[in-house]
Structure formats: C-alpha cells, structure tokens
Amino acid sequence: MLDNHVHVIDDGFACRYRDLPDGRRQILSILVPGDVIDLRQFVLGGTQPFLAALSPLSMSAIPNENLLRLLETSPRATRALWSTTLVEESISREWLVSIGKRSALERVAHLLCEIYLRLAAVGRNTGSRFPLPLTQSELADVLGLSTVHVNRTLQELRKSGLIAFQSGIVELFDFDALAALGLFSPGYLHLREPNSTKPIPA
C-alpha cells in the first residue's frame, strides 16, 4: 500500500488483526469490496492494527491531500466517511458480543449472515451464494474458537441443511433459520440495497 493514501478495496477480502507475543492471533475485522482500509491512520496517524489479505486483493488509492480537499468542499463525502467509521464501530461491538456471549454455533451463524448481507449490499452475491475465502484457522481467529471447534460447528450447520461451504463459497439454504439460530438482527449494519434508499430486509 502507498503511504499518505487512503485505500478502498475494489475486489477481494482482507482483515485487520492483532498478534500476541506467543503467536496467537485475533482477527479484529473482515474487509470486503467497498470498504475503506485506513481511515483511522488518515485521521489519527501512528500505528494501526496490522492488515492482511485473505484472498487476491485489488485496491484504489486516494492521496490524503485529495481526500482532505474533498472533505473540505463536500459535506456529503464527510457524512459518508463518518458513517463508514460508525458502522465499523457498530460491527466491532457486535463481534464483541459474539465472543463474549454467543455459543460457537451462534457465532458462526451470525458471522455468515453478516458477511452475506455485507456482500449483497455491494452486489457480490450470486443468489444465495457468496464468497468467503477464509480457512477454518482464519475463521477460528475471527470467532475466538479453536480450529477443531470451527470444523465441528460447520459440520453441524451442513448436517442441519442450513448451509453448504466448499472451496471458499458459502451457500445459504435458509437465511431466516440461520439468522434465528445466530440471534442475528441486521440493524447494526445500517445497510441499504444498491442504488436504493430501502434497507436490506433480513
């Protein structure tokens, strides 16, 4: 990535993460097409959480000085970036609830519902299918579970007939049932349909 630039993901998946001294890792956020990577660094400077690609990644780079000029002249752009930051914080709070209170099955179901709707909002789903190019180890680092626990939970969801997950592609057979299982409510995402002012239905 370029210094003194803000980057927007055009295609692919990335994550922010934090490593502990003993090598254990916690993935703090998953970034999908349309997400802005380094707004915090643009505003605060200094060291921010590490970033890693989860798949082949393409990005657009916006020079900081150009973004500053845009924000000085466009209240709409300012509101959009402010909204982006607030939604990121909202997602982080929901992930904290998952790790603190949801069961393993609820965590996985909740995450799949979230990623499905976030990708639907940017037109990256194919019907009930969507890409999720994360290994089970990476999912474990997202969910605060062991890889073995993630594997067992995915098998349980497959056997229940709610999902299929193979070669980085997830298919949801019953979104409503999966959402109920994961105690998922989409309000925290503040998503809207592409080219529409209507919220995406759950």
Side-chain angles (χ1 to χ4, degrees), residues 59-182:
M59 298 180 291
S60 297
I62 306 170
N64 286 358
E65 58 189 34
N66 291 5
L67 184 57
L68 280 171
R69 284 198 296 269
L70 177 64
L71 296 179
E72 288 170 355
T73 58
S74 173
R76 183 176 180 181
T78 301
R79 286 195 301 271
L81 289 183
W82 181 234
S83 175
T84 294
T85 301
L86 292 177
V87 169
E88 285 184 6
E89 296 304 322
S90 181
I91 292 172
S92 293
R93 288 193 298 271
E94 196 66 26
W95 281 30
L96 181 60
V97 171
S98 283
I99 289 176
K101 294 298 180 182
R102 288 188 176 96
S103 69
L105 198 61
E106 290 166 348
R107 291 183 210 184
V108 174
H110 193 278
L111 181 68
L112 294 179
C113 289
E114 176 187 305
I115 299 299
Y116 172 79
L117 287 185
R118 288 174 63 189
L119 291 174
V122 291
R124 297 305 175 107
N125 291 358
T126 304
S128 61
R129 295 186 177 194
F130 64 96
L132 188 62
L134 277 71
T135 65
Q136 291 188 12
S137 176
E138 289 163 342
L139 284 172
D141 289 341
V142 170
L143 298 165
L145 300 169
S146 69
T147 303
V148 170
H149 209 162
V150 168
N151 181 272
R152 290 174 180 167
T153 304
L154 288 173
Q155 286 185 32
E156 186 173 349
L157 289 172
R158 289 189 186 102
K159 290 177 182 177
S160 70
L162 292 177
I163 72 164
F165 188 8
Q166 187 172 10
S167 303
I169 301 295
V170 179
E171 184 170 7
L172 305 186
F173 298 118
D174 189 335
F175 178 89
D176 290 340
L178 191 69
L181 178 62

Side-chain angles (χ1 to χ4, degrees), residues 39-56:
L39 273 180
R40 288 174 178 79
Q41 197 158 20
F42 168 70
V43 174
L44 299 174
T47 302
Q48 300 298 320
F50 292 115
L51 184 80
L54 297 170
S55 71

